[in-house]
Amino acid sequence: MQQVLLKIIENKPLTENVYKMTLSGDVSDIETPDQFVNIKLDGLYLRRPISVCDCEGDLLTIIYKVVGKGTEMMSKMSEGTLDVLTGLGNGYNTALSGDRPLLLGGGVGVPPLYMLAKYLIAEGKQVSVVLGFNTKDEVFYEEEFKKLGANVTVTTVDGSYGTKGFVTDAMGDDYTYFFTCGPEPMLKAIYKKSETSGQFSFEERMGCGFGACMGCSCKTITGYKRICKDGPVIEKEEILWED
Ligand SMILES: Cc1cc2nc3c(=O)[nH]c(=O)nc-3n(C[C@H](O)[C@H](O)[C@H](O)COP(=O)(O)OP(=O)(O)OC[C@H]3O[C@@H](n4cnc5c(N)ncnc54)[C@H](O)[C@@H]3O)c2cc1C
Ligand code: FES
């Protein structure tokens, strides 16, 4: 983990309430897809965790949805620097993917899958991606995934764009392994429907964000794990769902 000051290069809306921010600086601590950063905002005690969407050279891209005070403040920033903890979390393990991995993202669970797709395609894998949203106006990053060379399907719950339904309605069965990130009901549905092993990324509420407070612990078959330090990625076989 590193604490760095990153310069805001760009901050623009992708949809009505989802923004893409590009930051520049020392991001050398970010090594694996689906690690996250933890952002300090003036006047807020707790940092705000956001997944790494992309990291290349000294540029970091994050995508965030405005849901409260912190993300609202972020959406209004056009210049300056942010105090950021980088290199947090375990990230996805691409070594387990097989030849034809399937990536399933829902809403703001989509961004970390972008860097994952990039890594898997660079490793020569045939990557399929299912991006799930509620409605057409919420869709983002379809073209970006296509440009990487992924086979992309978009689903919308109301059928206003792409395949009508949930990501599970477009999963098919032609995949060797899966990776997923999104809201918990989606993760549970994928857990039930999937026929292979896979990795789930959890966006638990956090305190410290680096393993010190146990505020994010969850029960697995091998005991309690801290989502911020031992996760956010947990393998299918380890998960114990608690209702
Ligand atoms: C590892 C990790 C990665 C994340 N990656 C992303 C991402 O790439 N893009 C993105 O938009 N969001 C992501 N989140 C969620 C993001 O951290 C929260 O939306 C954000 O902290 C809310 O801050 P706020 O001050 O705007 O809202 P607050 O005023 O703190 O909260 C407003 C609402 O957001 C919910 N919320 C607050 N914290 C979290 C949280 N940690 N997880 C889920 N919901 C929360 C609250 O329940 C509440 O309904 C991630 C969370 C984690 C733990
Ligand atoms: S948030 Fe403190 S241990 Fe995870």
Side-chain angles (χ1 to χ4, degrees):
M1 179 182 76
Q2 238 185 344
Q3 183 175 5
V4 289
L5 276 184
L6 301 180
K7 186 174 176 213
I8 299 169
I9 303 293
E10 188 182 50
N11 191 25
K12 64 170 188 185
L14 295 179
T15 68
E16 195 190 341
N17 57 6
V18 173
Y19 286 71
K20 173 182 172 181
M21 184 184 272
T22 309
L23 298 150
S24 130
D26 179 3
V27 287
S28 55
D29 225 32
I30 299 169
E31 291 171 340
T32 319
D34 198 29
Q35 284 188 300
F36 65 96
V37 297
N38 219 351
I39 302 174
K40 171 105 190 74
L41 296 161
D42 284 346
L44 299 184
Y45 175 66
L46 290 178
R47 289 174 179 265
R48 299 308 197 248
I50 302 287
S51 307
V52 171
C53 171
D54 197 14
C55 184
E56 184 118 32
D58 64 355
L59 291 183
L60 165 69
T61 307
I62 54 174
I63 293 178
Y64 60 94
K65 183 174 181 177
V66 176
V67 293
K69 207 168 173 188
T71 45
E72 171 89 44
M73 281 167 71
M74 285 171 65
S75 70
K76 303 216 162 88
M77 296 173 175
S78 55
E79 55 183 22
T81 54
L82 278 179
D83 174 336
V84 182
L85 296 179
T86 61
L88 299 169
N90 57 354
Y92 290 118
N93 179 358
T94 62
L96 302 171
S97 76
D99 296 340
R100 287 171 287 106
L102 175 64
L103 280 48
L104 302 139
V108 282
V110 165
L113 300 181
Y114 180 77
M115 185 165 159
L116 174 66
K118 212 168 159 181
Y119 272 49
L120 290 167
I121 287 166
E123 289 171 9
K125 313 285 167 58
Q126 197 183 313
V127 175
S128 296
V129 183
V130 183
L131 309 176
F133 302 93
N134 288 314
T135 189
K136 184 179 179 184
D137 292 345
E138 293 180 7
V139 177
F140 64 87
Y141 256 49
E142 178 186 7
E143 284 312 310
E144 284 78 358
F145 278 95
K146 282 185 177 162
K147 277 186 203 148
L148 291 179
N151 172 24
V152 183
T153 305
V154 175
T155 62
T156 52
V157 178
D158 67 2
S160 52
Y161 188 78
T163 305
K164 184 174 184 342
F166 297 102
V167 292
T168 40
D169 294 314
M171 267 178 90
D173 53 12
D174 186 22
Y175 57 93
T176 49
Y177 193 83
F178 68 88
F179 300 87
T180 183
C181 184
E184 197 159 306
M186 182 193 106
L187 300 185
K188 281 184 176 165
I190 291 168
Y191 181 90
K192 278 195 194 138
K193 188 159 185 188
S194 56
E195 288 166 6
T196 68
S197 285
Q199 293 168 41
F200 292 77
S201 178
F202 289 87
E203 298 195 342
E204 199 70 34
R205 267 206 98 113
M206 288 185 182
C208 70
F210 51 81
C213 73
M214 298 305 284
C216 64
S217 61
C218 77
K219 209 169 169 186
T220 72
I221 59 157
T222 52
Y224 278 94
K225 288 204 164 186
R226 294 158 301 177
I227 293 292
C228 67
K229 180 94 175 163
D230 311 312
V233 177
I234 298 186
E235 284 183 34
K236 182 180 173 183
E237 290 69 24
E238 277 187 281
I239 296 175
L240 259 186
W241 297 107
E242 289 182 281
D243 290 324

